[in-house]
Amino acid sequence: MSYGPPRPVARLLLTPEDKEAPARARRLLRLGLGEQPDPALDVFADHLAELTGAPYAMVNFIGENRQFFAGLHVRQSVSLERAADSKPVLGRPMARDHGFCPHVVVRHKALVLEDVRDYPRFAGNPIVDEFGIRSYLGAPLIDSTGMALGTVCVVDMEPRPWGKAGLETIKASAADLVVRLERRAADGLPLL
């Protein structure tokens, strides 16, 4: 038994501290990314959804205070179902404390969550209850300077075994997109 002052209770930090955020925001601004929808990135997200069979696919850039899905694929039947049962419909901007992409960016590593409810750190994330997200697969977009600009990711409303093939697909897609983004910034070439 202890008679001293109570020890502070450890708090589970849901959104990781992101010390690179100010530099990333400046880099995204220089590259012209992260503040507006990009039709080429929408096409990329469509292709990623097709590759993985996921109802949602995103190209997500993460600034200091928010995330922005510059590329977004939402399977039509999903958005209609969600609107019908009064759950919010996924839009392009999202608060930085929502979702799993900020974890991927800070870690600089891919993240596979076959059932987000199996992970206390992630089960309490607002998108689990607000949007009904149950599984996530994402990889960082690490540019040639070593900075994680954002992510490519897919999510599903059901638990899903992404497996090794899913992990390899998402990582290869992220690497491919970074090359295309840097080539577009340097040479003005089309993204796709």
Side-chain angles (χ1 to χ4, degrees):
M1 178 173 244
S2 171
Y3 295 101
R7 294 186 331 176
V9 176
R11 183 170 84 77
L12 183 61
L13 181 64
L14 295 179
T15 304
E17 182 180 1
D18 186 356
K19 294 178 182 177
E20 276 189 348
R24 179 182 319 102
R26 289 188 301 273
R27 177 103 171 107
L28 289 170
L29 186 62
R30 281 193 305 273
L31 293 171
L33 299 170
E35 291 297 321
Q36 58 200 14
D38 185 323
L41 294 176
D42 285 342
V43 170
F44 190 90
D46 291 342
H47 178 69
L48 189 57
E50 185 179 314
L51 280 174
T52 61
Y56 290 111
M58 287 82 76
V59 176
N60 186 11
F61 297 111
I62 301 180
E64 289 186 78
N65 301 307
R66 73 175 191 157
Q67 308 173 61
F68 189 82
F69 302 121
L72 178 62
H73 169 87
V74 177
R75 187 179 299 155
Q76 186 64 19
S77 62
V78 171
S79 64
L80 293 176
E81 288 171 20
R82 294 295 161 212
D85 72 6
S86 76
K87 290 201 182 219
V89 176
L90 182 66
R92 297 221 183 231
M94 182 179 281
R96 194 179 166 283
D97 65 346
H98 282 50
F100 314 111
C101 293
H103 296 270
V104 172
V105 166
V106 169
R107 292 168 20 132
H108 283 224
K109 290 173 56 175
L111 179 63
V112 179
L113 301 171
E114 294 181 346
D115 187 339
V116 297
R117 296 170 296 181
D118 290 342
Y119 303 88
R121 178 180 195 111
F122 300 114
N125 196 286
I127 67 163
V128 174
D129 292 328
E130 289 177 26
F131 294 99
I133 302 299
R134 292 293 177 257
S135 59
Y136 172 89
L137 176 65
L141 294 167
I142 300 176
D143 71 5
S144 60
T145 70
M147 181 175 287
L149 301 174
T151 66
V152 293
C153 65
V154 293
V155 297
D156 204 334
M157 314 321 260
E158 301 295 328
R160 184 175 181 142
W162 299 106
K164 186 176 180 180
L167 179 61
E168 289 174 2
T169 297
I170 202 76
K171 288 167 67 175
S173 296
D176 177 50
L177 183 56
V178 166
V179 168
R180 292 171 186 244
L181 289 170
E182 289 187 327
R183 186 176 57 214
R184 178 170 79 173
D187 303 330
L189 296 175
L191 188 62
L192 301 174

